[in-house]
Amino acid sequence: MAESADALAKLRAELAALGVSDAYEIGDGATLSVWIGLVVSFRDGVYRWQEASVKRRHVGSDPSGCAIRVARRYAELRANVPPWWEDLARVIRGDKARGYP
């Protein structure tokens, strides 16, 4: 578990350097929530990031490269909120989330 926490701390620092400062660890020591529906976990030496049903992997020894890929997708999602976001936001956050990704 310590390996996952260290890997996520490195990734979070790299994301912050790229301007993604609102990512947070969800409390399991192995998962980072970057944006609603966009999460990154670290397991078996590999970063695994998922957005809705799309899953990606990135080698664990390259948190900078992973951060670049995740930050790029984060920016794309923020610029063009996907149609599934409305339903997911309502389920996860309730009606108060309307209009705020």
Side-chain angles (χ1 to χ4, degrees):
M1 212 45 139
E3 179 187 16
S4 294
D6 290 344
L8 288 181
K10 289 176 186 175
L11 178 64
R12 189 172 180 189
E14 293 288 343
L15 285 168
L18 294 170
V20 181
S21 58
D22 49 354
Y24 61 93
E25 198 271 320
I26 65 168
D28 66 356
T31 308
L32 191 67
S33 177
V34 180
W35 195 68
I36 190 167
L38 177 60
V39 296
V40 182
S41 61
F42 186 85
R43 189 176 70 242
D44 300 327
V46 177
Y47 289 105
R48 302 166 196 277
W49 57 284
Q50 179 175 345
E51 172 225 328
S53 62
V54 177
K55 297 179 181 180
R56 308 264 190 237
R57 295 169 50 126
H58 195 91
V59 64
S61 61
D62 182 24
S64 178
C66 184
I68 290 168
R69 292 178 68 197
V70 171
R72 184 180 304 132
R73 186 60 187 143
Y74 171 82
E76 291 170 355
L77 288 168
R78 301 264 317 178
N80 297 305
V81 178
W84 53 260
W85 186 86
E86 289 278 337
D87 295 332
L88 185 60
R90 204 171 5 266
V91 169
I92 293 175
R93 295 183 179 166
D95 289 332
K96 292 182 181 182
R98 202 170 293 226
Y100 178 75

